[in-house]
Amino acid sequence: MESSATDSDAPDLVCQLDNVQGMVDALTAVRWKRNQDAVIEISEHGIVVIVEEMSCLQAKVYLQSELFIRYEYGEQGRPRFGVSLGLFVDCLNTFSVPGHSSTIEIRYPGPDMQLLLKSVDSLDAGIYAEIRTRIPDTISWDYNFEPAGSTPLTFTTSALKEAIDDLDWPGSSIQITVQPDPPSVTFRGDGHGDLQIDFVYYSNADLLIAFHCDRQVSYRYKYKFLRATTSNIPGSVIRDNRGSKLTIGRGGLLKVQHLVSVARTSTSHQQIDSAGHQNPSRIAYIEFFVKPEEDEDTADD
């Protein structure tokens, strides 16, 4: 095929999504402060939104290409650009109508390297937005997450959020201990007071859904970073109650994963199989990574 000026001006990405609210919910979950920047990476596999703070806390939202009703990627490599996360979420909210699954089109880049959004499901009126992008100031820190001690734990999302919220008042770092006998996970904070929350697997099976641990591990984390992993989970995600997975990796790196539905409301029943599980292609994955505090009492890995 002969190249042309039109081909060279073609955007790297053109995609359409039929559930704006699902994308808003996913991005809101990683918006833990008002003025927050994000790095967006795009590829043939989908879109990844990365947010981090002080090289101690990182969150990633994975929007796989299968989530979109149209996904056309025409660039080599993985273009990266920075945006204001708050501005991005606020713009998306203007396209979201309660009780209606709006469809939007996202293009990048525009003539001046903007991120372009427009509504495509109405013949009578349209909404159009341009978001200024910038070159990221830093490169996101590279984590090498390797499970250690086999500690994948699955909580109901509401139980995990309530436990972390309750740990606020001691005013210090939080120690998380996972042990195989008895199979349990303990959250402990001390500071202005002492507070300990225990989840014993056999006693709390309705809250601690899945448990696997072959040896005890224990690490401490700053409360403000731990709280960010659940503080802005939208109520719709908690009501879906898909479960949130907590895993402690090698060196104490903590991973917390949430799942957010982006299925179109009016057709969501078509995405659910006979066992009641939604098609994984209609799920956005959110992962938080929290580095542990340096602590002499920390268990050796």
Side-chain angles (χ1 to χ4, degrees):
M1 179 182 293
E2 294 183 0
S3 61
S4 65
T6 301
D7 293 333
S8 63
D9 293 339
D12 296 344
L13 174 69
V14 179
C15 60
Q16 293 182 355
L17 181 68
D18 59 2
N19 184 356
V20 182
Q21 188 57 51
M23 190 171 185
V24 169
D25 287 346
L27 295 179
T28 297
V30 301
R31 186 184 179 184
W32 57 75
K33 62 182 182 182
R34 181 179 296 276
N35 298 317
Q36 195 165 8
D37 293 330
V39 172
I40 296 180
E41 293 185 350
I42 58 176
S43 72
E44 69 273 18
H45 303 295
I47 300 172
V48 181
V49 181
I50 307 169
V51 184
E52 67 179 39
E53 186 167 337
M54 299 173 60
S55 295
C56 293
L57 169 66
Q58 185 183 87
K60 289 190 173 184
V61 179
Y62 295 91
L63 303 168
Q64 298 172 314
S65 58
E66 293 83 3
L67 295 178
F68 300 88
I69 56 176
R70 175 189 178 192
Y71 193 89
E72 298 177 2
Y73 180 75
E75 185 55 62
Q76 299 297 322
R78 299 177 65 92
R80 304 170 75 252
F81 56 90
V83 297
S84 164
L85 180 62
L87 181 60
F88 190 21
V89 172
D90 290 344
C91 282
L92 286 170
N93 262 320
T94 64
F95 293 87
S96 180
V97 179
H100 176 69
S101 295
S102 305
T103 300
I104 62 169
E105 180 178 276
I106 301 174
R107 287 177 177 260
Y108 176 82
D112 293 318
M113 303 303 292
Q114 317 100 309
L115 184 64
L116 308 176
L117 294 81
K118 70 175 182 179
S119 58
V120 296
D121 57 355
S122 175
L123 299 177
D124 302 322
I127 305 175
Y128 179 81
E130 296 184 4
I131 302 176
R132 180 177 298 175
T133 66
R134 54 183 173 271
I135 299 174
D137 296 331
T138 59
I139 297 176
S140 301
W141 53 274
D142 185 23
Y143 59 91
N144 183 20
F145 188 85
E146 298 179 10
S150 300
T151 61
L153 315 170
T154 302
F155 295 82
T156 62
T157 305
S158 57
L160 182 60
K161 176 175 171 54
E162 288 175 8
I164 293 176
D165 286 348
D166 287 344
L167 292 165
D168 186 17
W169 70 267
S172 73
S173 58
I174 304 301
Q175 184 169 14
I176 299 178
T177 301
V178 185
Q179 59 184 12
D181 186 23
S184 60
V185 56
T186 298
F187 298 84
R188 185 176 188 276
D190 53 41
H192 303 302
D194 297 311
L195 179 64
Q196 181 168 308
I197 301 174
D198 296 305
F199 289 93
V200 180
Y201 180 48
Y202 299 125
S203 302
N204 302 106
D206 54 335
L207 303 178
L208 181 55
I209 303 170
F211 181 96
H212 185 70
C213 173
D214 56 21
R215 64 184 178 85
Q216 179 172 316
V217 292
S218 184
Y219 292 93
R220 300 183 71 87
Y221 305 89
K222 283 190 178 298
Y223 177 74
K224 68 175 182 178
F225 296 146
L226 184 62
R227 184 175 184 274
T229 65
T230 61
S231 60
N232 288 306
I233 298 296
S236 59
V237 176
I238 294 177
R239 288 192 297 272
D240 284 348
N241 215 13
R242 299 181 181 279
S244 295
K245 182 179 288 186
L246 183 152
T247 308
I248 297 177
R250 192 171 302 280
L253 186 62
L254 177 70
K255 180 171 74 172
V256 179
Q257 184 185 72
H258 307 292
L259 307 179
V260 178
S261 171
V262 291
R264 188 182 179 103
T265 304
S266 60
T267 59
S268 58
H269 64 281
Q270 299 176 4
Q271 306 292 337
I272 300 176
D273 62 22
S274 58
H277 300 115
Q278 188 170 313
N279 186 336
S281 68
R282 302 298 286 174
I283 297 292
Y285 295 84
I286 303 172
E287 291 182 343
F288 289 86
F289 297 89
V290 185
K291 291 184 178 179
E293 289 188 313
E294 297 280 341
D295 193 328
E296 295 179 355
D297 295 329
T298 297
D300 292 333
D301 191 71

mmCIF file of all heavy atoms in Angstrom, residues 193-214:
data_model
loop_
_atom_site.group_PDB
_atom_site.id
_atom_site.type_symbol
_atom_site.label_atom_id
_atom_site.label_comp_id
_atom_site.label_asym_id
_atom_site.label_seq_id
_atom_site.Cartn_x
_atom_site.Cartn_y
_atom_site.Cartn_z
ATOM 1 N N GLY A 193 -3.179 4.518 69.812
ATOM 2 C CA GLY A 193 -3.849 3.399 70.462
ATOM 3 C C GLY A 193 -3.446 2.134 69.742
ATOM 4 O O GLY A 193 -2.576 2.152 68.873
ATOM 5 N N ASP A 194 -4.045 1.023 70.122
ATOM 6 C CA ASP A 194 -3.767 -0.250 69.467
ATOM 7 C C ASP A 194 -5.062 -0.786 68.875
ATOM 8 O O ASP A 194 -6.118 -0.745 69.517
ATOM 9 C CB ASP A 194 -3.216 -1.273 70.462
ATOM 10 C CG ASP A 194 -1.884 -0.841 71.046
ATOM 11 O OD1 ASP A 194 -1.008 -0.452 70.256
ATOM 12 O OD2 ASP A 194 -1.723 -0.902 72.282
ATOM 13 N N LEU A 195 -4.960 -1.295 67.657
ATOM 14 C CA LEU A 195 -6.125 -1.888 67.011
ATOM 15 C C LEU A 195 -5.671 -3.079 66.198
ATOM 16 O O LEU A 195 -4.707 -2.984 65.423
ATOM 17 C CB LEU A 195 -6.819 -0.859 66.107
ATOM 18 C CG LEU A 195 -8.055 -1.376 65.352
ATOM 19 C CD1 LEU A 195 -9.162 -1.756 66.337
ATOM 20 C CD2 LEU A 195 -8.563 -0.308 64.385
ATOM 21 N N GLN A 196 -6.336 -4.187 66.376
ATOM 22 C CA GLN A 196 -6.001 -5.389 65.628
ATOM 23 C C GLN A 196 -7.272 -5.992 65.054
ATOM 24 O O GLN A 196 -8.273 -6.142 65.755
ATOM 25 C CB GLN A 196 -5.296 -6.407 66.528
ATOM 26 C CG GLN A 196 -4.890 -7.685 65.805
ATOM 27 C CD GLN A 196 -3.947 -8.528 66.624
ATOM 28 O OE1 GLN A 196 -2.924 -8.050 67.109
ATOM 29 N NE2 GLN A 196 -4.273 -9.818 66.779
ATOM 30 N N ILE A 197 -7.223 -6.317 63.771
ATOM 31 C CA ILE A 197 -8.352 -6.933 63.080
ATOM 32 C C ILE A 197 -7.899 -8.283 62.550
ATOM 33 O O ILE A 197 -6.916 -8.363 61.801
ATOM 34 C CB ILE A 197 -8.864 -6.049 61.927
ATOM 35 C CG1 ILE A 197 -9.308 -4.684 62.462
ATOM 36 C CG2 ILE A 197 -10.018 -6.734 61.190
ATOM 37 C CD1 ILE A 197 -9.686 -3.693 61.374
ATOM 38 N N ASP A 198 -8.578 -9.337 62.952
ATOM 39 C CA ASP A 198 -8.213 -10.696 62.549
ATOM 40 C C ASP A 198 -9.275 -11.275 61.623
ATOM 41 O O ASP A 198 -10.471 -11.191 61.903
ATOM 42 C CB ASP A 198 -8.077 -11.614 63.766
ATOM 43 C CG ASP A 198 -6.956 -11.176 64.687
ATOM 44 O OD1 ASP A 198 -5.820 -11.037 64.198
ATOM 45 O OD2 ASP A 198 -7.220 -10.965 65.892
ATOM 46 N N PHE A 199 -8.821 -11.857 60.545
ATOM 47 C CA PHE A 199 -9.693 -12.636 59.668
ATOM 48 C C PHE A 199 -9.198 -14.085 59.737
ATOM 49 O O PHE A 199 -8.125 -14.412 59.224
ATOM 50 C CB PHE A 199 -9.621 -12.138 58.224
ATOM 51 C CG PHE A 199 -10.262 -10.805 57.992
ATOM 52 C CD1 PHE A 199 -9.515 -9.639 58.067
ATOM 53 C CD2 PHE A 199 -11.618 -10.707 57.685
ATOM 54 C CE1 PHE A 199 -10.094 -8.405 57.843
ATOM 55 C CE2 PHE A 199 -12.212 -9.475 57.457
ATOM 56 C CZ PHE A 199 -11.453 -8.323 57.546
ATOM 57 N N VAL A 200 -9.968 -14.929 60.381
ATOM 58 C CA VAL A 200 -9.649 -16.362 60.431
ATOM 59 C C VAL A 200 -10.422 -17.028 59.311
ATOM 60 O O VAL A 200 -11.646 -16.893 59.227
ATOM 61 C CB VAL A 200 -10.014 -16.972 61.801
ATOM 62 C CG1 VAL A 200 -9.679 -18.465 61.822
ATOM 63 C CG2 VAL A 200 -9.273 -16.237 62.914
ATOM 64 N N TYR A 201 -9.717 -17.730 58.458
ATOM 65 C CA TYR A 201 -10.322 -18.214 57.214
ATOM 66 C C TYR A 201 -11.593 -19.020 57.449
ATOM 67 O O TYR A 201 -12.628 -18.756 56.841
ATOM 68 C CB TYR A 201 -9.298 -19.043 56.436
ATOM 69 C CG TYR A 201 -9.824 -19.591 55.141
ATOM 70 C CD1 TYR A 201 -10.509 -18.784 54.233
ATOM 71 C CD2 TYR A 201 -9.631 -20.930 54.806
ATOM 72 C CE1 TYR A 201 -10.989 -19.286 53.034
ATOM 73 C CE2 TYR A 201 -10.101 -21.442 53.612
ATOM 74 C CZ TYR A 201 -10.780 -20.614 52.739
ATOM 75 O OH TYR A 201 -11.250 -21.130 51.552
ATOM 76 N N TYR A 202 -11.557 -20.009 58.347
ATOM 77 C CA TYR A 202 -12.723 -20.870 58.531
ATOM 78 C C TYR A 202 -13.878 -20.137 59.214
ATOM 79 O O TYR A 202 -15.038 -20.474 59.012
ATOM 80 C CB TYR A 202 -12.327 -22.115 59.338
ATOM 81 C CG TYR A 202 -11.275 -22.951 58.656
ATOM 82 C CD1 TYR A 202 -10.087 -23.270 59.303
ATOM 83 C CD2 TYR A 202 -11.454 -23.402 57.351
ATOM 84 C CE1 TYR A 202 -9.106 -24.025 58.676
ATOM 85 C CE2 TYR A 202 -10.488 -24.154 56.712
ATOM 86 C CZ TYR A 202 -9.314 -24.464 57.375
ATOM 87 O OH TYR A 202 -8.343 -25.204 56.754
ATOM 88 N N SER A 203 -13.544 -19.128 60.021
ATOM 89 C CA SER A 203 -14.593 -18.391 60.739
ATOM 90 C C SER A 203 -15.172 -17.252 59.925
ATOM 91 O O SER A 203 -16.297 -16.823 60.172
ATOM 92 C CB SER A 203 -14.033 -17.831 62.056
ATOM 93 O OG SER A 203 -13.519 -18.863 62.869
ATOM 94 N N ASN A 204 -14.395 -16.728 58.969
ATOM 95 C CA ASN A 204 -14.821 -15.567 58.194
ATOM 96 C C ASN A 204 -14.866 -15.878 56.699
ATOM 97 O O ASN A 204 -14.476 -15.061 55.867
ATOM 98 C CB ASN A 204 -13.875 -14.379 58.433
ATOM 99 C CG ASN A 204 -13.777 -13.987 59.889
ATOM 100 O OD1 ASN A 204 -12.781 -14.248 60.542
ATOM 101 N ND2 ASN A 204 -14.825 -13.359 60.400
ATOM 102 N N ALA A 205 -15.356 -17.070 56.361
ATOM 103 C CA ALA A 205 -15.355 -17.496 54.959
ATOM 104 C C ALA A 205 -16.235 -16.615 54.081
ATOM 105 O O ALA A 205 -16.042 -16.554 52.868
ATOM 106 C CB ALA A 205 -15.806 -18.949 54.854
ATOM 107 N N ASP A 206 -17.210 -15.919 54.702
ATOM 108 C CA ASP A 206 -18.066 -15.038 53.902
ATOM 109 C C ASP A 206 -17.384 -13.707 53.619
ATOM 110 O O ASP A 206 -17.826 -12.949 52.749
ATOM 111 C CB ASP A 206 -19.395 -14.797 54.610
ATOM 112 C CG ASP A 206 -19.221 -14.270 56.028
ATOM 113 O OD1 ASP A 206 -18.157 -14.538 56.625
ATOM 114 O OD2 ASP A 206 -20.143 -13.600 56.528
ATOM 115 N N LEU A 207 -16.306 -13.389 54.350
ATOM 116 C CA LEU A 207 -15.554 -12.149 54.141
ATOM 117 C C LEU A 207 -14.196 -12.433 53.502
ATOM 118 O O LEU A 207 -13.764 -11.714 52.599
ATOM 119 C CB LEU A 207 -15.359 -11.418 55.471
ATOM 120 C CG LEU A 207 -16.623 -11.065 56.254
ATOM 121 C CD1 LEU A 207 -16.258 -10.399 57.573
ATOM 122 C CD2 LEU A 207 -17.521 -10.137 55.440
ATOM 123 N N LEU A 208 -13.519 -13.455 54.003
ATOM 124 C CA LEU A 208 -12.248 -13.895 53.448
ATOM 125 C C LEU A 208 -12.557 -15.107 52.574
ATOM 126 O O LEU A 208 -12.647 -16.234 53.042
ATOM 127 C CB LEU A 208 -11.266 -14.251 54.565
ATOM 128 C CG LEU A 208 -9.857 -14.704 54.175
ATOM 129 C CD1 LEU A 208 -9.182 -13.679 53.281
ATOM 130 C CD2 LEU A 208 -9.016 -14.944 55.425
ATOM 131 N N ILE A 209 -12.750 -14.840 51.280
ATOM 132 C CA ILE A 209 -13.316 -15.845 50.377
ATOM 133 C C ILE A 209 -12.331 -16.948 50.038
ATOM 134 O O ILE A 209 -12.684 -18.123 49.951
ATOM 135 C CB ILE A 209 -13.806 -15.156 49.084
ATOM 136 C CG1 ILE A 209 -14.821 -14.054 49.425
ATOM 137 C CG2 ILE A 209 -14.423 -16.170 48.134
ATOM 138 C CD1 ILE A 209 -15.172 -13.180 48.235
ATOM 139 N N ALA A 210 -11.069 -16.579 49.822
ATOM 140 C CA ALA A 210 -10.062 -17.568 49.446
ATOM 141 C C ALA A 210 -8.781 -17.289 50.212
ATOM 142 O O ALA A 210 -8.427 -16.134 50.463
ATOM 143 C CB ALA A 210 -9.806 -17.527 47.935
ATOM 144 N N PHE A 211 -8.079 -18.362 50.582
ATOM 145 C CA PHE A 211 -6.875 -18.223 51.393
ATOM 146 C C PHE A 211 -5.866 -19.271 50.968
ATOM 147 O O PHE A 211 -6.189 -20.452 50.830
ATOM 148 C CB PHE A 211 -7.225 -18.399 52.880
ATOM 149 C CG PHE A 211 -6.049 -18.251 53.818
ATOM 150 C CD1 PHE A 211 -5.798 -17.040 54.445
ATOM 151 C CD2 PHE A 211 -5.202 -19.329 54.076
ATOM 152 C CE1 PHE A 211 -4.720 -16.893 55.313
ATOM 153 C CE2 PHE A 211 -4.123 -19.202 54.932
ATOM 154 C CZ PHE A 211 -3.883 -17.978 55.551
ATOM 155 N N HIS A 212 -4.620 -18.826 50.766
ATOM 156 C CA HIS A 212 -3.544 -19.784 50.507
ATOM 157 C C HIS A 212 -2.249 -19.202 51.038
ATOM 158 O O HIS A 212 -1.824 -18.126 50.642
ATOM 159 C CB HIS A 212 -3.409 -20.094 49.022
ATOM 160 C CG HIS A 212 -2.393 -21.160 48.742
ATOM 161 N ND1 HIS A 212 -2.595 -22.472 49.085
ATOM 162 C CD2 HIS A 212 -1.159 -21.111 48.186
ATOM 163 C CE1 HIS A 212 -1.536 -23.188 48.735
ATOM 164 N NE2 HIS A 212 -0.645 -22.380 48.193
ATOM 165 N N CYS A 213 -1.635 -19.913 51.969
ATOM 166 C CA CYS A 213 -0.389 -19.454 52.577
ATOM 167 C C CYS A 213 0.363 -20.684 53.068
ATOM 168 O O CYS A 213 -0.202 -21.505 53.787
ATOM 169 C CB CYS A 213 -0.689 -18.499 53.740
ATOM 170 S SG CYS A 213 0.755 -18.004 54.695
ATOM 171 N N ASP A 214 1.646 -20.791 52.675
ATOM 172 C CA ASP A 214 2.410 -21.958 53.114
ATOM 173 C C ASP A 214 3.442 -21.638 54.185
ATOM 174 O O ASP A 214 4.075 -22.535 54.724
ATOM 175 C CB ASP A 214 3.083 -22.646 51.920
ATOM 176 C CG ASP A 214 3.973 -21.709 51.115
ATOM 177 O OD1 ASP A 214 4.391 -20.676 51.678
ATOM 178 O OD2 ASP A 214 4.237 -22.000 49.929
#
